[in-house]
Amino acid sequence: MTDKIYVIGHKSPDTDSVTSAITYANLKNALGMKEAVPAAAGDINAETKFLLDHFKVPYPEKLTDATDKKVILVDHNEMAQAVDNLNMENIVEIVDHHKIGGLATGKPIFFLNEPVGATGGIIANLYEMNNVPISKEMAGLMMSAILSDTVLFKSPTCTPRDKTAVEKLAKIAGVDPMSFGMELLKAKSDVSSKSAKDILLGDFKKFDFSGTKSGVGQIEVMDLKDLEPKRAAILEEMNKMKDAEGLDMIVLMLTDVMKEASDILFVGNAQAAAGFEKAFGGKIQNNSIYKEKVLSRKKQVVPPLEGAFKK
Amino acid sequence: MTDKIYVIGHKSPDTDSVTSAITYANLKNALGMKEAVPAAAGDINAETKFLLDHFKVPYPEKLTDATDKKVILVDHNEMAQAVDNLNMENIVEIVDHHKIGGLATGKPIFFLNEPVGATGGIIANLYEMNNVPISKEMAGLMMSAILSDTVLFKSPTCTPRDKTAVEKLAKIAGVDPMSFGMELLKAKSDVSSKSAKDILLGDFKKFDFSGTKSGVGQIEVMDLKDLEPKRAAILEEMNKMKDAEGLDMIVLMLTDVMKEASDILFVGNAQAAAGFEKAFGGKIQNNSIYKEKVLSRKKQVVPPLEGAFKK
């Protein structure tokens, strides 16, 4: 039997990562690459479960060790965010919408990165370009990926193309995008049953900012007050993880999707604190800096951190 | 006035690099990016001149210093091959067909890399996807890029897509592709008037193979005998350049496009020699290893060198 090719998103998989794995594997199957199977590089979150259950799509296989495995990367292109023990030579393709992250391969591969709100919209476009019909289920997944990643079009990462794609996909999926999107957001932002650790790791990525080893997480809620009772425990969890993994800092965006603002928590050493304050033009107070209109890690948090730590 | 955005290929520009700059700038202009202008990161070669003269297309501006300039990279995606003083943050887009070379950006950008024979075919596809009509001149340039990069379809980098693209483009350009391709090859392989240095630098790229600083060049001729009288002078030039630039080795493929074989010249230190011999499974004799069926630097020379030097 031919070896499987795992279509897989980043660690701490979010909805765009998981649905991109499922929908792109489905497209590759339709195009003749029968060995493509979707996978998730960790446990899938409450939002994604709600979504897959709604459209009756099976959960993808969990793959946390890519030793000797061929993979197609979706929704990430940095080794630091990829499944463990991945050999760069085993990367077959990449489809993503993030910054270009320094990955190198020995051979030419298909690599498509577009500055749009979600990988889901890029994949929807690839279905169209290849004249592969989109099923109700796949349309629902790709539409939801865009709604989730752009926080219902509110994120500055959102482009006109994302809106057009959601419009098209919603028709095929047979749902009202905005009301379905609100259901997704509610599933995502229900923190009542989540532990501090779950909140920290729910959407967490590692970065290396010119030598400053960092973790940057994000949690989106309908109201920041929901997180108040857990704030101390979250900070404790951040400190614990920083020490255990030998990081210089951990940043966690507590994002209020209704107020469109983020309370950006910080733990780290003095040098990292200076960089963090420089990045956001403020002083850390009560372990955080509060920023109006900051919703996007990719566009509004990672680039200023990168700039602040540049040597 | 808006700042120019330079669409530019790699140093030691070949036909695919120069025509991709011209044709992609033309496409971006058509799509509304009026500030896109084609550029070449060095002197254009005899083949490209013949081609541009034939289709009466003006030579692109020469740009050898990218300080503070915005660029779109075509036909390369490694900083080592890019125009000097390029700031990664000033890269607006990338369209290429090589291995992924470790470049990093601070923001998401459009990056399309496809494992096909030439960047020209990818750009032709982008015209189609965007419903932009292709003029006779642009068709001639993109067709020629594919014919040149795939050595008239003989290179192992050639894919069915390249052949289909040439077929379509030749109709628009109004030329017979194979006979026009032979004229291109003749223009490219006329070495009689070329100095040893011209031959070495005509299509030369730098690589870093796990710390082994290298240069890998290629010259294609209709008959290896044409190069015989210049062999000693070429080797001397290779040694001179290796010392002047502090490289560990220089490799130069003397490629016989009719016999479909390459005499691969080597100069370098003992450690590099061991890696070179490992890469090509032979012993260096008379400063070279002769390999049947080896035509492609990208697919048949760079990957084995990369493998041989991997630590």
Side-chain angles (χ1 to χ4, degrees):
Chain A
M1 204 197 120
T2 329
D3 280 349
K4 283 182 188 173
I5 297 176
Y6 293 89
V7 185
I8 190 165
H10 53 74
K11 284 186 195 171
S12 299
D14 60 4
T15 291
D16 194 27
S17 260
V18 174
T19 59
S20 292
I22 295 171
T23 55
Y24 197 58
N26 179 271
L27 173 61
K28 297 305 285 187
N29 291 163
L31 292 173
M33 190 194 273
K34 297 295 178 200
E35 60 272 40
V37 294
D43 293 321
I44 64 177
N45 67 30
E47 180 191 57
T48 312
K49 279 181 186 163
F50 165 83
L51 170 64
L52 297 180
D53 292 347
H54 179 95
F55 284 101
K56 299 192 177 59
V57 171
Y59 295 0
E61 184 176 333
K62 180 169 156 182
L63 180 77
T64 54
D65 181 347
T67 306
D68 292 333
K69 303 248 187 292
K70 286 195 175 175
V71 302
I72 292 175
L73 303 185
V74 289
D75 197 35
H76 68 307
N77 76 85
E78 298 196 34
M79 291 304 279
Q81 293 160 12
V83 55
D84 286 334
N85 302 319
L86 173 62
N87 181 339
M88 287 203 266
E89 296 309 311
N90 287 332
I91 300 172
V92 178
E93 292 189 10
I94 306 174
V95 180
D96 189 21
H97 71 127
H98 292 87
K99 70 192 176 76
I100 309 302
L103 186 142
T105 63
K107 279 180 304 210
I109 60 166
F110 178 73
F111 184 172
L112 174 58
N113 194 84
E114 297 194 66
V116 292
T119 308
I122 303 172
I123 295 173
N125 209 28
L126 290 171
Y127 271 85
E128 228 173 84
M129 278 168 50
N130 287 287
N131 296 312
V132 174
I134 300 177
S135 69
K136 182 180 183 226
E137 291 75 21
M138 295 302 120
L141 266 48
M142 292 187 281
M143 175 200 76
S144 300
I146 301 171
L147 291 168
S148 166
D149 254 27
T150 65
V151 195
L152 306 188
F153 304 144
K154 282 183 191 167
S155 165
T157 59
C158 186
T159 68
R161 271 184 55 186
D162 294 297
K163 293 183 186 174
T164 314
V166 164
E167 218 171 284
K168 276 191 196 176
L169 293 166
K171 273 181 201 147
I172 304 172
V175 295
D176 175 71
M178 295 319 272
S179 68
F180 190 74
M182 282 301 288
E183 288 192 60
L184 282 174
L185 265 188
K186 269 182 222 154
K188 183 193 240 171
S189 63
D190 177 16
V191 292
S192 56
S193 64
K194 280 186 186 164
S195 70
K197 195 171 177 180
D198 287 347
I199 288 169
L200 174 58
L201 294 180
D203 180 8
F204 187 82
K205 293 182 185 175
K206 286 189 185 164
F207 295 89
D208 187 315
F209 298 119
S210 306
T212 301
K213 287 180 190 159
S214 313
V216 184
Q218 181 171 27
I219 174 120
E220 285 151 347
V221 291
M222 308 293 254
D223 189 341
L224 276 186
K225 283 199 194 104
D226 299 345
L227 284 168
E228 261 317 309
K230 300 186 194 247
R231 203 174 193 272
I234 292 170
L235 283 164
E236 197 185 311
E237 204 57 55
M238 288 167 71
N239 267 311
K240 227 193 278 177
M241 183 178 178
K242 173 180 72 68
D243 296 340
E245 308 219 351
L247 299 175
D248 297 305
M249 69 169 176
I250 291 185
V251 169
L252 179 64
M253 300 168 66
L254 310 181
T255 300
D256 188 318
V257 295
M258 290 296 127
K259 291 207 187 68
E260 304 190 27
S262 290
D263 191 28
I264 313 175
L265 300 191
F266 170 90
V267 304
N269 60 36
Q271 206 187 332
F276 179 79
E277 292 187 334
K278 187 176 162 202
F280 299 107
K283 286 277 157 206
I284 297 171
Q285 285 185 321
N286 189 20
N287 304 103
S288 77
I289 293 180
Y290 184 86
K291 295 291 283 183
E292 303 278 356
K293 297 279 162 213
V294 167
L295 288 165
S296 163
R297 171 172 50 197
K298 184 168 49 198
K299 220 155 174 167
Q300 299 172 298
V301 170
V302 170
L305 285 172
E306 221 153 38
F309 287 101
K310 189 160 268 173
K311 277 158 194 162
Chain B
M1 204 198 121
T2 328
D3 279 350
K4 284 182 186 175
I5 297 176
Y6 293 88
V7 185
I8 190 165
H10 54 73
K11 283 185 196 174
S12 298
D14 60 4
T15 291
D16 193 27
S17 260
V18 175
T19 59
S20 293
I22 296 170
T23 56
Y24 197 57
N26 179 271
L27 173 61
K28 297 305 286 187
N29 290 162
L31 292 172
M33 191 195 272
K34 297 296 178 198
E35 61 271 41
V37 294
D43 293 320
I44 65 178
N45 68 28
E47 181 192 58
T48 311
K49 280 181 185 163
F50 166 82
L51 170 63
L52 297 180
D53 292 347
H54 179 94
F55 284 101
K56 301 191 176 59
V57 171
Y59 296 1
E61 184 176 334
K62 180 168 156 182
L63 181 77
T64 54
D65 181 346
T67 306
D68 293 333
K69 302 244 187 294
K70 287 196 174 173
V71 302
I72 292 176
L73 302 185
V74 289
D75 198 35
H76 69 306
N77 76 85
E78 299 196 33
M79 291 303 279
Q81 292 160 13
V83 55
D84 286 335
N85 303 320
L86 173 61
N87 181 339
M88 289 204 266
E89 296 309 313
N90 287 332
I91 300 172
V92 178
E93 293 191 8
I94 307 174
V95 180
D96 190 21
H97 70 127
H98 293 87
K99 69 192 177 74
I100 309 302
L103 186 141
T105 63
K107 280 182 301 210
I109 59 166
F110 178 72
F111 184 171
L112 173 60
N113 194 84
E114 298 194 65
V116 293
T119 308
I122 303 172
I123 295 173
N125 209 28
L126 289 171
Y127 271 85
E128 229 173 83
M129 278 168 51
N130 287 287
N131 295 311
V132 174
I134 300 176
S135 69
K136 181 180 184 230
E137 291 74 23
M138 295 302 119
L141 266 48
M142 293 188 280
M143 175 200 78
S144 300
I146 302 172
L147 291 168
S148 166
D149 254 27
T150 64
V151 196
L152 306 187
F153 304 144
K154 282 181 187 168
S155 165
T157 59
C158 187
T159 67
R161 271 184 55 186
D162 294 296
K163 291 183 187 176
T164 313
V166 164
E167 218 170 284
K168 276 192 197 175
L169 294 166
K171 273 181 202 146
I172 305 171
V175 295
D176 175 70
M178 295 319 272
S179 67
F180 189 74
M182 284 300 289
E183 289 191 60
L184 282 174
L185 266 187
K186 269 181 222 155
K188 182 193 241 171
S189 64
D190 177 16
V191 292
S192 56
S193 63
K194 282 186 185 163
S195 70
K197 195 171 176 180
D198 288 347
I199 288 169
L200 174 58
L201 295 180
D203 179 9
F204 187 82
K205 292 181 185 176
K206 286 190 185 165
F207 295 89
D208 187 315
F209 299 118
S210 306
T212 300
K213 285 180 193 159
S214 312
V216 184
Q218 180 172 28
I219 175 121
E220 286 153 346
V221 290
M222 307 293 256
D223 189 341
L224 276 186
K225 282 199 195 103
D226 298 346
L227 284 167
E228 261 318 309
K230 298 181 195 256
R231 201 174 195 273
I234 292 170
L235 283 164
E236 198 185 311
E237 205 58 55
M238 289 167 71
N239 267 311
K240 226 192 280 177
M241 184 178 177
K242 172 179 73 66
D243 297 340
E245 309 220 348
L247 299 174
D248 297 305
M249 71 169 174
I250 292 185
V251 169
L252 180 65
M253 301 169 66
L254 310 181
T255 300
D256 189 319
V257 296
M258 290 295 128
K259 292 207 184 71
E260 302 190 28
S262 289
D263 191 28
I264 313 175
L265 298 192
F266 170 90
V267 303
N269 60 36
Q271 205 187 331
F276 180 80
E277 292 187 334
K278 186 177 163 202
F280 299 107
K283 286 276 158 209
I284 296 170
Q285 283 185 324
N286 188 21
N287 305 103
S288 77
I289 292 181
Y290 185 87
K291 296 291 284 183
E292 303 278 357
K293 297 277 161 218
V294 167
L295 288 166
S296 165
R297 169 172 53 196
K298 183 169 48 200
K299 217 154 176 169
Q300 299 173 297
V301 171
V302 169
L305 284 172
E306 219 151 40
F309 286 100
K310 189 159 267 173
K311 275 157 196 165

